[in-house]
Amino acid sequence: ISFNMVARNVQEFMNETFTFIRHSEGNSIPIHAWIERGRSLSNISIPPKLVWKPIYGFQSSLSSLELLDICKVLATTPKRFDRKRYPFCILNRMVTIQSVHNGTLLVEARSNEERDRFADLLKTTIATLASRIFTHASIDHFLEHVQKEAWV
């Protein structure tokens, strides 16, 4: 896979909104999820995030995970899943997103293909972000660069 192909896929992913069902113990809520790019504002850095919001009719507050706080993204399989805690999930459509600070986000895609695509692109986006920050030496410098041009 060429760098240009990865860059194009990440760019498309960052401009997309996904519709999922977010599962927590005893609760399933439809959500929209997307990536916010982040910004550098004078003395403050706002890192890129995975953001989600319940769809109309449910609570309207935004929730998010900073991309660099995500330590694991798994296309969940029945072997890795506690059916007693999450009885309403369709197992072959689940993505588990584990964060260093905020626990685990469990979402259900509309299909196996969407699950695999989302999990792969989220991993690729996080890896691209981390490598770009590494080459720019700091997140502040990286975010200044993001504001001037596309970051992939």
Side-chain angles (χ1 to χ4, degrees):
I1 298 177
S2 72
F3 175 76
N4 290 336
M5 184 180 208
V6 170
R8 187 178 67 243
N9 287 340
V10 169
Q11 193 66 40
E12 287 175 10
F13 179 65
M14 292 192 64
N15 292 322
E16 218 172 316
T17 299
F18 292 86
T19 301
F20 295 127
I21 297 174
R22 179 178 181 256
H23 293 279
S24 56
E25 286 190 54
N27 196 6
S28 299
I29 299 172
I31 62 169
H32 289 302
W34 64 94
I35 302 293
E36 287 193 355
R37 294 178 185 271
R39 295 274 181 238
S40 181
L41 306 168
S42 51
N43 297 332
I44 300 171
S45 294
I46 302 170
K49 296 178 181 185
L50 172 64
V51 179
W52 63 93
K53 178 180 180 180
I55 295 175
Y56 181 78
F58 294 90
Q59 69 185 41
S60 60
S61 63
L62 290 175
S63 299
S64 65
L65 290 174
E66 291 182 15
L67 291 185
L68 294 177
D69 284 349
I70 295 173
C71 58
K72 192 181 290 187
V73 178
L74 297 171
T76 305
T77 63
K79 293 178 184 176
R80 298 182 184 152
F81 202 76
D82 184 354
R83 189 58 141 160
K84 292 177 185 173
R85 291 177 63 190
Y86 306 101
F88 303 113
C89 300
I90 299 174
L91 297 178
N92 60 353
R93 295 184 187 176
M94 302 305 297
V95 177
T96 302
I97 302 167
Q98 197 166 15
S99 169
V100 173
H101 302 292
N102 298 329
T104 301
L105 173 65
L106 188 62
V107 295
E108 179 182 323
R110 291 186 252 194
S111 66
N112 302 25
E113 294 79 19
E114 184 181 48
R115 175 203 64 187
D116 293 344
R117 181 174 174 272
F118 177 78
D120 290 344
L121 285 171
L122 183 57
K123 290 176 193 179
T124 302
T125 301
I126 293 166
T128 302
L129 171 62
S131 69
R132 293 298 225 161
I133 289 172
F134 182 74
T135 60
H136 285 89
S138 77
I139 195 161
D140 291 329
H141 185 264
F142 169 76
L143 290 171
E144 288 170 14
H145 177 73
V146 168
Q147 291 175 8
K148 294 176 186 166
E149 58 187 84
W151 64 272
V152 292

